[in-house]
């Protein structure tokens, strides 16, 4: 669909009912690091990744909470998510297919991270 002049002027359009992405993301740019505490889609994506992340890292986590993330719109969404786990933090890279019920795929999980570590 064609963007309205108002949407272009505001540099915002809604690509999903949970998130607002800016126009630079539409062109494949990665977002700035954002707080995950109020993003329901990131929380759902993180929950969907838990079993695969545990398998990839050969660990079981009681705590598994998204803290920070970046996103990139690419016919779906690529995510980098910093997740609080029992003994620190992990970073995951994942893809979520378009749509409210889009499938989530773990691309990479790296343990031994701190809150301060960059993606």
């Amino acid at each position: 669909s064609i963007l309205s002049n108002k949407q272009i002027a505001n540099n915002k359009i809604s690509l999903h009912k949970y998130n607002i992405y800016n126009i630079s993301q539409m062109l494949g740019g990665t977002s700035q690091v954002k707080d995950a505490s109020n993003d329901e889609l990131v929380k759902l994506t993180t929950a969907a990744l838990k079993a695969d992340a545990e398998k990839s890292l050969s660990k079981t986590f009681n705590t598994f909470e998204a803290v920070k993330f970046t996103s990139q719109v690419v016919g779906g969404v690529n995510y980098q998510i910093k997740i609080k786990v029992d003994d620190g933090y992990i970073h995951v890279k994942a893809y979520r297919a378009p749509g409210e019920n889009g499938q989530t795929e773990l691309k990479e999980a790296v343990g031994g991270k701190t809150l301060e570590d960059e993606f």
Side-chain angles (χ1 to χ4, degrees):
S1 67
I2 297 174
L3 300 176
S4 72
N5 288 336
K6 185 175 181 179
Q7 288 170 312
I8 292 169
N10 290 335
N11 196 29
K12 293 181 181 177
I13 62 167
S14 176
L15 293 180
H16 192 281
K17 76 177 195 173
Y18 295 111
N19 289 336
I20 302 292
Y21 297 99
N22 67 37
I23 289 174
S24 67
Q25 283 184 277
M26 281 186 52
L27 303 174
T30 302
S31 73
Q32 294 182 351
V33 176
K34 299 178 185 177
D35 180 358
S37 63
N38 293 320
D39 193 299
E40 293 302 316
L41 186 58
V42 170
K43 290 179 185 179
L44 290 170
T45 300
T46 300
L49 294 168
K50 185 175 188 240
D52 288 338
E54 289 176 330
K55 183 177 179 180
S56 175
L57 296 170
S58 301
K59 291 186 173 191
T60 302
F61 300 113
N62 292 315
T63 302
F64 201 80
E65 300 168 1
V67 178
K68 297 179 183 181
F69 73 99
T70 64
S71 59
Q72 178 186 29
V73 177
V74 292
V77 182
N78 285 327
Y79 285 106
Q80 293 183 95
I81 307 171
K82 181 181 295 283
I83 300 171
K84 170 75 175 130
V85 295
D86 306 337
D87 58 351
Y89 295 86
I90 66 172
H91 288 177
V92 298
K93 291 182 180 180
Y95 171 77
R96 185 175 184 102
E100 188 173 339
N101 297 312
Q103 295 290 351
T104 302
E105 179 183 350
L106 178 69
K107 298 290 189 179
E108 179 180 55
V110 180
K113 298 295 183 177
T114 67
L115 182 60
E116 294 78 21
D117 286 338
E118 294 183 17
F119 288 115

